[in-house]
């Protein structure tokens, strides 16, 4: 709302980085998703991938805005990380996707 200009830096907190390191390897730290985001199994793979692509496009729009607006003042809660800025939420997306890609690769290699 205040539209405070950002100098272009990501401004990621040390606490966020430390917690990110704690969960980087999914085999060392299992994570349980909150009930509201647990997959229901009602979407097809194609539908899931389409939603992922839609979300990626929205996140790209948000990322562009975050380059110009300072997000440090306003935070939103996360079940494990605590209060995060919008920039930290965006950074979290990449790590979250990596965990799922790692899971998929593990499953596919086990099926061979």
């Amino acid at each position: 709302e205040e539209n405070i200009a950002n100098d272009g830096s990501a401004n990621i907190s040390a606490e966020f980085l430390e917690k990110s390191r704690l969960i980087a390897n999914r085999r060392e730290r299992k994570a349980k998703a909150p009930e509201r985001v647990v997959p229901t199994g009602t979407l097809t793979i194609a539908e899931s991938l389409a939603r992922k692509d839609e979300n990626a496009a929205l996140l790209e729009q948000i990322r562009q805005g975050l380059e110009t607006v300072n997000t440090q003042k306003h935070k939103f809660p996360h079940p494990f990380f605590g209060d995060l800025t919008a920039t930290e939420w965006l950074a979290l997306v990449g790590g979250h996707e990596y965990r799922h890609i790692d899971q998929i690769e593990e499953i596919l290699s086990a099926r061979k």
Side-chain angles (χ1 to χ4, degrees):
E1 277 182 1
E2 296 165 350
N3 224 6
I4 299 171
N6 187 17
D7 62 6
S9 58
N11 297 314
I12 302 293
S13 71
E15 182 182 7
F16 176 83
L17 291 174
E18 181 58 32
K19 285 188 175 181
S20 295
R21 286 184 195 102
L22 288 175
I23 65 163
N25 185 337
R26 71 176 184 81
R27 288 173 188 84
E28 291 176 13
R29 172 140 172 105
K30 299 289 184 188
K32 182 160 176 54
E35 188 63 34
R36 70 187 191 306
V37 296
V38 172
T40 61
T42 58
L43 296 178
T44 66
I45 292 173
E47 290 169 328
S48 294
L49 290 173
R51 284 197 182 176
K52 184 188 86 56
D53 291 342
E54 290 168 12
N55 286 331
L58 290 170
L59 287 169
E60 177 57 22
Q61 290 174 1
I62 292 169
R63 184 199 58 79
Q64 291 172 9
L66 294 178
E67 290 177 352
T68 60
V69 177
N70 186 310
T71 66
Q72 299 309 297
K73 197 171 182 181
H74 305 287
K75 297 186 176 192
F76 307 93
H78 182 276
F80 175 75
F81 286 90
D83 290 343
L84 299 179
T85 66
T87 304
E88 290 169 335
W89 271 98
L90 191 61
L92 187 62
V93 171
H96 184 89
E97 283 191 4
Y98 176 78
R99 285 177 68 99
H100 286 296
I101 290 167
D102 190 43
Q103 288 173 324
I104 291 166
E105 288 174 346
E106 184 178 299
I107 291 166
L108 290 174
S109 68
R111 296 186 83 197
K112 290 180 181 178

